[in-house]
């Protein structure tokens, strides 16, 4: 009995906006890419997000979980000297930062206030 092979590509490509440039398209078309595989950097993600808008259903899901605020904040410039200084002031025994004004601990409530995330309710997890 002869079977026709199934098309290995996506049935719907509306959400796959980068599919034409993705290496999987070369595989689906029977060509192997000569480009080396490289992982996307966080900068690539933010550049992509500035150029492409989320699908409306994705926005609703992100808003329901409270993570849409992170995407609205966008890319943040890191102060490497500040991070280095904080690492030097970290006390692993007490899990606190030893600052000239006293000890400081970053709590979940601090993250909630800074990023506007909801820490009440059900956890966001895979089934």
């Amino acid at each position: 009995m002869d079977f026709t092979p199934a098309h290995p590509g996506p049935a719907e490509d509306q959400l796959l906006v980068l599919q034409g440039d993705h290496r999987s398209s070369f595989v689906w078309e029977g060509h192997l890419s000569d480009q080396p595989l490289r992982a996307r950097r966080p900068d690539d993600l933010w550049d992509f997000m500035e150029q492409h808008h989320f699908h409306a259903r994705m926005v609703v899901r992100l808003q329901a979980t409270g993570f849409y605020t992170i995407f609205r904040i966008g890319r943040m410039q890191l102060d490497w000297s500040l991070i280095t200084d904080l690492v030097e002031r970290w006390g692993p025994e007490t899990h606190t930062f030893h600052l000239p004004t006293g000890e400081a601990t970053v709590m979940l409530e601090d993250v909630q206030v800074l990023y506007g995330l909801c820490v009440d309710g059900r956890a966001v997890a895979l089934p």
Side-chain angles (χ1 to χ4, degrees):
M1 184 183 239
D2 290 329
F3 292 103
T4 57
H7 185 272
E12 296 270 339
D13 60 354
Q14 294 174 350
L15 297 177
L16 304 174
V17 294
L18 292 179
Q19 187 58 44
D21 297 331
H22 195 268
R23 79 172 33 246
S24 64
S25 65
F26 293 107
V27 174
W28 290 336
E29 294 167 3
H31 309 289
L32 293 177
S33 174
D34 294 334
Q35 300 172 352
L37 180 64
R38 95 179 156 79
R40 293 191 187 272
R41 298 185 326 259
D43 290 341
D44 293 340
L45 172 68
W46 291 112
D47 291 339
F48 169 77
M49 289 172 45
E50 288 174 0
Q51 297 169 3
H52 300 85
H53 297 286
F54 284 122
H55 191 275
R57 289 184 292 174
M58 182 63 73
V59 171
V60 169
R61 291 289 188 187
L62 288 170
Q63 287 173 337
T65 59
F67 287 111
Y68 191 66
T69 307
I70 300 296
F71 294 106
R72 283 195 2 238
I73 291 172
R75 184 184 341 202
M76 297 169 66
Q77 183 66 35
L78 297 178
D79 186 345
W80 293 106
S81 59
L82 175 63
I83 293 172
T84 301
D85 191 44
L86 287 173
V87 167
E88 291 175 359
R89 295 177 177 272
W90 178 251
E93 306 84 23
T94 57
H95 299 287
T96 57
F97 293 103
H98 298 279
L99 305 175
T101 56
E103 291 186 0
T105 302
V106 178
M107 306 293 286
L108 180 58
E109 186 178 18
D110 299 322
V111 177
Q112 175 189 12
V113 170
L114 290 172
Y115 290 105
L117 296 174
C118 179
V119 295
D120 299 327
R122 296 176 45 191
V124 177
L126 295 173

